[in-house]
Amino acid sequence: MADITVRGRIALWAAAAASWASQKAGRGKGSMIGGLIALQIDKTIMDQLGRGRRTVLVTGTNGKSTTTRMTTAALSTLGRVATQADGANMDAGIIAALNAHRTAPLAAIEVDELHLPHVTDALNPAAVVLLNLSRDQLDRVGEINMIERKLRAGLARHPDTVVIANCDDVLVTSIAYDHPNVVWVAAGSGWAVDATSCPRSGEPIVWEGQHWRSTGTDFERPEPNWWLDGEELCGPDGVRLPLTLALPGRANRGNAAQAVAAAVALGAEPAKAAAAAGTVKEIAGRYRTVQVGEHAARLLLAKNPAGWQEALSMIEPTAAGLVIAVNGQVPDGEDLSWLWDVRFEHFEGVQVVAAGERATDLAVRLTYAGVEHTTIADPLRAIASCPAGKVEVLANYTAFRDLNRDLEVTA
């Protein structure tokens, strides 16, 4: 690894001291405050920590944490990998992750979409994985076509970086379309609501089976280099690999495909990379099953319309109950109008409970969707109200975080 400057060493010493103080005060692991302190002392600390290692950045509206964990597993077949343990995907969290694994020759780093351009400038990554792009928290992230233009311009400054792009996502394809070094992956797109018009011409996008094209300019779905065929992952030179995952859902198969493609781009053997990606079982508490009294509660996280739609497709129809917990805090986005973009209409035969700080807002949406439900704001009490057996729990960001905290207290 490259040497750290004197100023950089002072910054990292101060970060370690701040992290220690945070832990002693019982305020968590202290990695975030440490990263913030280091950045205040030395603005170039991320650049310094990134030198001398091959880095993969992972971004998109949904699936960042899962794909980063899968990429980490796949890259681990080549050597030690620096990565975030907690999904902290802005500057402070990235600095903390790189500092915690300072001698690792490889890195798999989750990056918030808005931070990708300057993080790419700082780390000059070997590869960038573009998963998908759809509406998220409009009060924080902003208008989706503006994000697409910013990411496109950011990647244009790094022509040598390999871009692993989902060709089934119109906006992602537009970001990567002019880049000289792209690996296209048919990772699927379960949400096309935000790409009905061409991001380059404004004219309609026409779908013809899996293929799509713009009616206003020379812009269409590229031929994929990697694609899914049933239970197999197909790639260049006739590669066909079994892709057996511990995680549920179609979206996670697409995430795994892009993780494998990224690892192979850095030199991993395809079969070893695919097998390693398949070992990932849970990500920061997501997908795990917890015993809560007479209930086996499986915890799912969703943060925006596309993510909610995908998570709802994973709900086991034979479950004894479904608890949907929604908060409206700043990290969630305080505007919950997106609830009306999610299709809640297919839960016949499952006892549904609306929970969370904004349970009443959710209950109104469920009523209009024709979903019979009860309303119990406390998620733990909501779980307890369901019949004994398996209960699916679907929560947005702070509701998921708070529920996990409460489960630890009651364990």
Side-chain angles (χ1 to χ4, degrees):
M1 297 296 296
D3 289 336
I4 303 296
T5 66
V6 173
R7 188 181 186 88
R9 291 176 187 176
I10 294 171
L12 295 178
W13 178 86
S19 296
W20 177 85
S22 178
Q23 292 174 34
K24 286 296 183 181
R27 295 181 176 273
K29 297 178 180 178
S31 58
M32 287 295 289
I33 187 63
L36 287 169
I37 293 292
L39 196 59
Q40 287 297 315
I41 295 172
D42 189 341
K43 299 295 185 186
T44 69
I45 192 63
M46 187 188 298
D47 310 51
Q48 296 179 56
L49 289 170
R51 289 176 197 154
R53 59 174 128 209
R54 304 171 73 205
T55 298
V56 177
L57 303 182
V58 179
T59 199
T61 308
N62 293 298
K64 292 187 290 293
S65 296
T66 301
T67 308
T68 301
R69 183 68 65 84
M70 289 177 168
T71 302
T72 300
L75 285 176
S76 294
T77 63
L78 295 174
R80 289 176 296 112
V81 185
T83 193
Q84 301 108 313
D86 53 5
N89 58 27
M90 299 184 191
D91 292 12
I94 293 168
I95 290 167
L98 294 173
N99 186 40
H101 307 275
R102 206 181 300 177
T103 61
L106 300 162
I109 299 296
E110 174 184 342
V111 186
D112 178 84
E113 305 94 288
L114 288 179
H115 287 65
L116 182 68
H118 73 259
V119 172
T120 303
D121 291 342
L123 298 181
N124 193 26
V128 171
V129 178
L130 300 176
L131 298 170
N132 46 65
L133 203 58
S134 64
R135 268 173 300 145
D136 200 355
Q137 302 161 19
L138 290 177
D139 52 353
R140 179 184 74 86
V141 177
E143 192 267 329
I144 197 67
N145 284 342
M146 176 269 291
I147 307 277
E148 183 272 326
R149 291 190 293 271
K150 285 187 175 180
L151 298 193
R152 194 196 316 179
L155 285 179
R157 298 194 292 271
H158 298 272
D160 294 332
T161 294
V162 179
V163 178
I164 315 297
N166 179 6
C167 64
D168 291 326
D169 188 289
V170 173
L171 290 164
V172 159
T173 301
S174 182
I175 294 167
Y177 206 63
D178 304 315
H179 197 274
N181 202 356
V182 185
V183 174
W184 296 107
V185 182
S189 177
W191 182 267
V193 175
D194 296 314
T196 55
S197 62
C198 174
R200 294 172 168 237
S201 69
E203 297 299 317
I205 292 287
V206 174
W207 288 81
E208 297 158 343
Q210 290 184 320
H211 188 78
W212 56 261
R213 60 179 175 85
S214 170
T215 57
T217 188
D218 182 18
F219 176 59
E220 62 181 341
R221 179 183 187 264
E223 283 298 314
N225 305 105
W226 293 87
W227 66 96
L228 295 162
D229 184 8
E231 298 300 309
E232 292 185 314
L233 174 60
C234 305
D237 303 319
V239 167
R240 294 186 74 91
L241 307 168
L243 190 64
T244 304
L245 302 185
L247 298 180
R250 296 165 299 178
N252 281 328
R253 297 188 66 76
N255 293 337
Q258 291 194 255
V260 171
V264 170
L266 267 67
E269 293 183 26
K272 290 182 179 179
T279 63
V280 175
K281 294 181 179 179
E282 74 172 61
I283 300 91
R286 305 171 203 180
Y287 306 109
R288 69 176 176 136
T289 298
V290 182
Q291 196 66 34
V292 184
E294 298 179 322
H295 307 91
R298 184 173 68 148
L299 310 183
L300 301 172
L301 171 69
K303 296 180 281 189
N304 48 61
W308 275 84
Q309 210 61 69
E310 181 60 36
L312 287 167
S313 73
M314 299 181 194
I315 300 301
E316 176 58 55
T318 60
L322 167 61
V323 173
I324 307 175
V326 175
N327 287 356
Q329 299 179 24
V330 171
D332 308 302
E334 296 172 323
D335 179 0
L336 294 188
S337 60
W338 55 263
L339 283 171
W340 296 88
D341 296 323
V342 180
R343 297 188 301 276
F344 287 102
E345 282 81 0
H346 60 289
F347 291 111
E348 299 81 5
V350 179
Q351 181 170 321
V352 178
V353 186
E357 296 170 353
R358 301 291 286 273
T360 304
D361 296 80
L362 174 62
V364 172
R365 173 67 186 101
L366 293 175
T367 298
Y368 275 87
V371 177
E372 293 187 12
H373 64 279
T374 56
T375 302
I376 302 175
D378 185 310
L380 281 178
R381 289 182 52 226
I383 294 170
S385 74
C386 295
K390 182 173 184 177
V391 176
E392 303 278 37
V393 181
L394 177 54
N396 69 349
Y397 181 76
T398 65
F400 185 90
R401 178 200 66 195
D402 295 349
L403 175 58
N404 274 280
R405 179 200 61 207
D406 293 343
L407 288 169
E408 289 179 6
V409 170
T410 58

mmCIF file of all heavy atoms in Angstrom, residues 128-145:
data_model
loop_
_atom_site.group_PDB
_atom_site.id
_atom_site.type_symbol
_atom_site.label_atom_id
_atom_site.label_comp_id
_atom_site.label_asym_id
_atom_site.label_seq_id
_atom_site.Cartn_x
_atom_site.Cartn_y
_atom_site.Cartn_z
ATOM 1 N N VAL A 128 -16.558 -0.240 -11.922
ATOM 2 C CA VAL A 128 -17.751 0.338 -11.298
ATOM 3 C C VAL A 128 -18.945 -0.511 -11.714
ATOM 4 O O VAL A 128 -19.146 -0.780 -12.903
ATOM 5 C CB VAL A 128 -17.972 1.800 -11.734
ATOM 6 C CG1 VAL A 128 -19.334 2.305 -11.255
ATOM 7 C CG2 VAL A 128 -16.867 2.691 -11.193
ATOM 8 N N VAL A 129 -19.737 -0.936 -10.739
ATOM 9 C CA VAL A 129 -20.951 -1.720 -10.998
ATOM 10 C C VAL A 129 -22.149 -0.791 -10.921
ATOM 11 O O VAL A 129 -22.387 -0.156 -9.888
ATOM 12 C CB VAL A 129 -21.097 -2.869 -9.982
ATOM 13 C CG1 VAL A 129 -22.396 -3.633 -10.231
ATOM 14 C CG2 VAL A 129 -19.903 -3.806 -10.061
ATOM 15 N N LEU A 130 -22.909 -0.703 -12.019
ATOM 16 C CA LEU A 130 -24.130 0.100 -12.086
ATOM 17 C C LEU A 130 -25.319 -0.852 -12.081
ATOM 18 O O LEU A 130 -25.564 -1.562 -13.062
ATOM 19 C CB LEU A 130 -24.149 0.959 -13.350
ATOM 20 C CG LEU A 130 -23.012 1.972 -13.521
ATOM 21 C CD1 LEU A 130 -23.141 2.669 -14.872
ATOM 22 C CD2 LEU A 130 -23.017 2.992 -12.392
ATOM 23 N N LEU A 131 -26.084 -0.855 -10.996
ATOM 24 C CA LEU A 131 -27.158 -1.827 -10.821
ATOM 25 C C LEU A 131 -28.458 -1.393 -11.479
ATOM 26 O O LEU A 131 -29.035 -2.100 -12.299
ATOM 27 C CB LEU A 131 -27.395 -2.063 -9.331
ATOM 28 C CG LEU A 131 -26.212 -2.641 -8.557
ATOM 29 C CD1 LEU A 131 -26.494 -2.600 -7.057
ATOM 30 C CD2 LEU A 131 -25.925 -4.059 -9.017
ATOM 31 N N ASN A 132 -28.970 -0.242 -11.075
ATOM 32 C CA ASN A 132 -30.276 0.233 -11.525
ATOM 33 C C ASN A 132 -30.397 1.685 -11.110
ATOM 34 O O ASN A 132 -29.614 2.179 -10.294
ATOM 35 C CB ASN A 132 -31.417 -0.602 -10.911
ATOM 36 C CG ASN A 132 -31.203 -0.826 -9.418
ATOM 37 O OD1 ASN A 132 -31.224 0.109 -8.625
ATOM 38 N ND2 ASN A 132 -30.964 -2.071 -9.034
ATOM 39 N N LEU A 133 -31.387 2.357 -11.651
ATOM 40 C CA LEU A 133 -31.623 3.751 -11.280
ATOM 41 C C LEU A 133 -33.122 4.005 -11.363
ATOM 42 O O LEU A 133 -33.747 3.838 -12.415
ATOM 43 C CB LEU A 133 -30.869 4.687 -12.231
ATOM 44 C CG LEU A 133 -30.547 6.093 -11.704
ATOM 45 C CD1 LEU A 133 -29.722 6.028 -10.423
ATOM 46 C CD2 LEU A 133 -29.803 6.885 -12.766
ATOM 47 N N SER A 134 -33.691 4.389 -10.233
ATOM 48 C CA SER A 134 -35.119 4.700 -10.186
ATOM 49 C C SER A 134 -35.345 5.732 -9.104
ATOM 50 O O SER A 134 -34.430 6.093 -8.360
ATOM 51 C CB SER A 134 -35.947 3.436 -9.911
ATOM 52 O OG SER A 134 -35.651 2.912 -8.629
ATOM 53 N N ARG A 135 -36.573 6.216 -8.995
ATOM 54 C CA ARG A 135 -36.888 7.235 -7.994
ATOM 55 C C ARG A 135 -36.573 6.731 -6.597
ATOM 56 O O ARG A 135 -36.896 5.609 -6.238
ATOM 57 C CB ARG A 135 -38.375 7.584 -8.049
ATOM 58 C CG ARG A 135 -38.706 8.732 -8.957
ATOM 59 C CD ARG A 135 -40.202 8.876 -9.060
ATOM 60 N NE ARG A 135 -40.805 7.658 -9.596
ATOM 61 C CZ ARG A 135 -41.990 7.183 -9.224
ATOM 62 N NH1 ARG A 135 -42.694 7.811 -8.310
ATOM 63 N NH2 ARG A 135 -42.465 6.087 -9.771
ATOM 64 N N ASP A 136 -35.941 7.610 -5.821
ATOM 65 C CA ASP A 136 -35.669 7.281 -4.430
ATOM 66 C C ASP A 136 -36.260 8.398 -3.585
ATOM 67 O O ASP A 136 -37.413 8.775 -3.785
ATOM 68 C CB ASP A 136 -34.161 7.115 -4.230
ATOM 69 C CG ASP A 136 -33.823 6.310 -2.984
ATOM 70 O OD1 ASP A 136 -34.737 5.966 -2.232
ATOM 71 O OD2 ASP A 136 -32.642 6.023 -2.770
ATOM 72 N N GLN A 137 -35.488 8.983 -2.709
ATOM 73 C CA GLN A 137 -35.993 10.049 -1.842
ATOM 74 C C GLN A 137 -35.852 11.381 -2.587
ATOM 75 O O GLN A 137 -34.774 11.983 -2.616
ATOM 76 C CB GLN A 137 -35.186 10.070 -0.547
ATOM 77 C CG GLN A 137 -35.235 8.758 0.205
ATOM 78 C CD GLN A 137 -34.098 8.638 1.191
ATOM 79 O OE1 GLN A 137 -33.481 9.612 1.572
ATOM 80 N NE2 GLN A 137 -33.821 7.409 1.612
ATOM 81 N N LEU A 138 -36.930 11.836 -3.184
ATOM 82 C CA LEU A 138 -36.868 13.043 -4.001
ATOM 83 C C LEU A 138 -36.433 14.257 -3.187
ATOM 84 O O LEU A 138 -35.808 15.179 -3.722
ATOM 85 C CB LEU A 138 -38.222 13.302 -4.658
ATOM 86 C CG LEU A 138 -38.628 12.308 -5.754
ATOM 87 C CD1 LEU A 138 -40.025 12.650 -6.246
ATOM 88 C CD2 LEU A 138 -37.647 12.310 -6.902
ATOM 89 N N ASP A 139 -36.742 14.245 -1.876
ATOM 90 C CA ASP A 139 -36.355 15.398 -1.053
ATOM 91 C C ASP A 139 -34.857 15.423 -0.773
ATOM 92 O O ASP A 139 -34.321 16.426 -0.325
ATOM 93 C CB ASP A 139 -37.152 15.433 0.257
ATOM 94 C CG ASP A 139 -37.106 14.116 1.026
ATOM 95 O OD1 ASP A 139 -36.565 13.136 0.485
ATOM 96 O OD2 ASP A 139 -37.611 14.074 2.158
ATOM 97 N N ARG A 140 -34.153 14.325 -1.022
ATOM 98 C CA ARG A 140 -32.706 14.288 -0.826
ATOM 99 C C ARG A 140 -31.969 14.096 -2.153
ATOM 100 O O ARG A 140 -31.011 14.799 -2.454
ATOM 101 C CB ARG A 140 -32.315 13.143 0.125
ATOM 102 C CG ARG A 140 -30.798 13.043 0.359
ATOM 103 C CD ARG A 140 -30.441 11.853 1.215
ATOM 104 N NE ARG A 140 -30.541 10.597 0.492
ATOM 105 C CZ ARG A 140 -29.559 10.092 -0.258
ATOM 106 N NH1 ARG A 140 -28.417 10.735 -0.389
ATOM 107 N NH2 ARG A 140 -29.719 8.938 -0.864
ATOM 108 N N VAL A 141 -32.407 13.138 -2.942
ATOM 109 C CA VAL A 141 -31.666 12.728 -4.141
ATOM 110 C C VAL A 141 -31.966 13.619 -5.333
ATOM 111 O O VAL A 141 -31.081 13.971 -6.106
ATOM 112 C CB VAL A 141 -31.981 11.249 -4.480
ATOM 113 C CG1 VAL A 141 -31.280 10.834 -5.760
ATOM 114 C CG2 VAL A 141 -31.561 10.344 -3.325
ATOM 115 N N GLY A 142 -33.226 13.990 -5.490
ATOM 116 C CA GLY A 142 -33.577 14.844 -6.618
ATOM 117 C C GLY A 142 -34.108 14.060 -7.815
ATOM 118 O O GLY A 142 -34.350 12.865 -7.745
ATOM 119 N N GLU A 143 -34.263 14.771 -8.897
ATOM 120 C CA GLU A 143 -34.898 14.235 -10.115
ATOM 121 C C GLU A 143 -33.986 13.224 -10.797
ATOM 122 O O GLU A 143 -32.783 13.424 -10.916
ATOM 123 C CB GLU A 143 -35.216 15.416 -11.031
ATOM 124 C CG GLU A 143 -36.116 15.071 -12.197
ATOM 125 C CD GLU A 143 -35.296 14.724 -13.428
ATOM 126 O OE1 GLU A 143 -34.200 15.271 -13.570
ATOM 127 O OE2 GLU A 143 -35.766 13.898 -14.210
ATOM 128 N N ILE A 144 -34.572 12.108 -11.246
ATOM 129 C CA ILE A 144 -33.790 10.938 -11.642
ATOM 130 C C ILE A 144 -32.945 11.177 -12.892
ATOM 131 O O ILE A 144 -31.812 10.703 -12.996
ATOM 132 C CB ILE A 144 -34.725 9.711 -11.812
ATOM 133 C CG1 ILE A 144 -33.915 8.415 -11.813
ATOM 134 C CG2 ILE A 144 -35.577 9.827 -13.046
ATOM 135 C CD1 ILE A 144 -33.268 8.128 -10.492
ATOM 136 N N ASN A 145 -33.440 11.929 -13.866
ATOM 137 C CA ASN A 145 -32.646 12.170 -15.076
ATOM 138 C C ASN A 145 -31.440 13.060 -14.785
ATOM 139 O O ASN A 145 -30.413 12.959 -15.461
ATOM 140 C CB ASN A 145 -33.517 12.787 -16.172
ATOM 141 C CG ASN A 145 -34.417 11.764 -16.822
ATOM 142 O OD1 ASN A 145 -34.173 10.562 -16.708
ATOM 143 N ND2 ASN A 145 -35.458 12.214 -17.498
#
